[in-house]
Amino acid sequence: MRITAQEEYGLRCVLQLALQPEGSPLSVREIARREALSVAYVEKLLYLLSRAGLTRSVRGINGGYCLARPPEEIYLGEVVRALGGFASDAEICNQFTGNVESCVHMQNCGLRPLWRVAFYIQSLLDQVPLSELLEDEEDVEHSLMKKSRAQLELV
Amino acid sequence: MRITAQEEYGLRCVLQLALQPEGSPLSVREIARREALSVAYVEKLLYLLSRAGLTRSVRGINGGYCLARPPEEIYLGEVVRALGGFASDAEICNQFTGNVESCVHMQNCGLRPLWRVAFYIQSLLDQVPLSELLEDEEDVEHSLMKKSRAQLELV
DNA sequence: TAAAAACTTGACAAAGAAGTCAGGTTATGT
DNA sequence: ACATAACCTGACTTCTTTGTCAAGTTTTTA
């Protein structure tokens, strides 16, 4: 269970865009400078994010990248998925090398609860907007708990 | 954010041990057969788990591995950490290649909230005992939510 | 006490992820 | 219109993680 390098760096780029005043694009060169990453790598990350519809590029001499939506409407879960994120249920089954009787889709697979845990975590990340990451960090954990509770009350 | 292969397979081994009646060890050969993994790989995984104090080996001709504690007292978080799990705060800083001003330990690092999210997830996993994974899977998600709420009420 | 079954552990090879390169295409400003 | 700055994207190299190998050591049973 790890946050991959690609997710970390990709999120750094997204957060730089979130700090930018709306409507003024930030160039790849500038993002790369601020995060001490190579220009080529930042290009690749933003390509992945744009492909997922999270960022938007402005071409031309004063171009760059913007968020496709305001930071309040972009959720951590989306960013994580765009950057390679969680494996889907189907992918898990395809890559499974073990005996068929233990497949995730079988009733008797001991790991199914683990995947439920993973999906639960994913659903929490889908409730954290970027704007929250920019606020006072002490709030994040508390906010997550509140969201957990809200989810519980629906059950 | 991914569950690594090592975590998945290691947890499979642990769950096999948890299904075993207490006091009767399960051989590496048998675990490997049930999970369709190589004997060598299962040896390595159990070595990691024993090193972390989660399993206990019984040598000799009818030996094998047991859980070091009953399934109710072994938590998912421990298993994940034993298998390579989450990076610590210090490791994150050591491997950080970017500019020093953005280090996790600096006040102005935009990623600190992300690490708080990671730690929060970890604390949830530390509240899920193996015994719960063996029960009806529908319960797991609901139980996680209850635990989130309990944690919230402490704040 | 000897053989067999089992665990122990470091070193290594194969597979996969991370990051780079190179050669595009598109838009802007003069 | 042309030069420039910027984005676009597949192919490639490098590095890390996975999983295997091999050569032990320990314990039990006959």
Side-chain angles (χ1 to χ4, degrees):
Chain A
M1 191 122 231
R2 69 173 1 128
I3 295 173
T4 66
Q6 189 154 288
E7 283 163 358
E8 174 179 337
Y9 295 135
L11 186 62
R12 279 179 190 273
C13 294
V14 167
L15 289 175
Q16 286 293 344
L17 297 182
L19 287 171
Q20 199 68 2
E22 196 174 333
S24 80
L26 195 58
S27 75
V28 166
R29 186 171 303 277
E30 175 61 14
I31 296 171
R33 194 193 61 75
R34 292 193 193 171
E35 294 295 342
L37 298 171
S38 77
V39 170
Y41 193 30
V42 172
E43 278 176 349
K44 184 188 179 174
L45 294 171
L46 287 171
Y47 168 58
L48 291 172
L49 291 162
S50 290
R51 182 179 256 257
L54 299 177
T55 56
R56 188 165 58 74
S57 66
V58 178
R59 301 183 99 138
I61 202 161
N62 284 319
Y65 280 92
C66 304
L67 294 182
R69 286 169 267 152
E72 295 76 28
E73 294 172 23
I74 297 182
Y75 295 89
L76 195 45
E78 295 180 277
V79 176
V80 167
R81 273 192 295 280
L83 294 164
F86 280 98
S88 75
D89 211 336
E91 283 167 334
I92 291 159
C93 289
N94 282 342
Q95 73 175 32
F96 179 61
T97 57
N99 54 351
V100 182
E101 299 113 86
S102 312
C103 175
V104 172
H105 280 149
M106 305 296 283
Q107 191 59 45
N108 62 338
C109 173
L111 282 186
R112 291 184 63 169
L114 181 62
W115 296 114
R116 292 189 80 86
V117 171
F119 294 148
Y120 175 72
I121 290 170
Q122 210 168 167
S123 75
L124 280 183
L125 296 184
D126 277 331
Q127 296 180 350
V128 180
L130 292 183
S131 54
E132 203 157 282
L133 295 182
L134 299 175
E135 288 163 17
D136 181 14
E137 64 176 84
E138 296 298 323
D139 292 345
V140 174
E141 214 162 327
H142 193 261
S143 160
L144 269 176
M145 289 189 223
K146 267 194 294 197
K147 279 165 182 164
S148 292
R149 180 164 67 171
Q151 206 165 33
L152 174 61
E153 276 160 5
L154 288 178
V155 176
Chain B
M1 189 122 231
R2 69 169 3 125
I3 293 174
T4 67
Q6 189 154 289
E7 284 163 356
E8 173 179 337
Y9 294 136
L11 187 61
R12 279 178 191 275
C13 295
V14 166
L15 289 175
Q16 285 293 344
L17 297 182
L19 287 171
Q20 199 68 2
E22 197 174 332
S24 81
L26 196 58
S27 74
V28 166
R29 185 170 303 276
E30 176 60 15
I31 296 171
R33 193 192 62 75
R34 292 194 193 168
E35 294 296 341
L37 298 171
S38 78
V39 170
Y41 193 30
V42 173
E43 279 176 349
K44 182 188 180 175
L45 294 171
L46 287 172
Y47 168 58
L48 291 173
L49 291 163
S50 291
R51 184 178 254 258
L54 299 178
T55 55
R56 186 166 59 73
S57 66
V58 177
R59 301 184 98 137
I61 203 161
N62 284 319
Y65 280 92
C66 304
L67 294 183
R69 285 169 267 153
E72 294 76 27
E73 293 172 23
I74 296 181
Y75 295 89
L76 196 46
E78 298 180 275
V79 177
V80 167
R81 274 190 296 278
L83 294 164
F86 280 98
S88 75
D89 211 335
E91 284 168 333
I92 292 159
C93 290
N94 282 341
Q95 72 174 35
F96 180 58
T97 55
N99 53 351
V100 182
E101 298 114 87
S102 312
C103 174
V104 172
H105 280 149
M106 306 295 285
Q107 192 58 46
N108 63 338
C109 172
L111 282 185
R112 289 184 64 169
L114 181 62
W115 295 115
R116 291 188 80 85
V117 171
F119 295 149
Y120 175 74
I121 290 170
Q122 211 171 163
S123 75
L124 280 183
L125 296 184
D126 278 330
Q127 296 179 351
V128 181
L130 292 184
S131 53
E132 203 158 282
L133 295 182
L134 299 175
E135 288 161 17
D136 181 14
E137 64 177 85
E138 297 297 323
D139 294 344
V140 174
E141 213 160 329
H142 193 261
S143 159
L144 268 176
M145 289 188 220
K146 267 194 293 197
K147 279 165 183 164
S148 292
R149 180 165 67 171
Q151 202 164 38
L152 175 60
E153 277 160 3
L154 289 177
V155 176

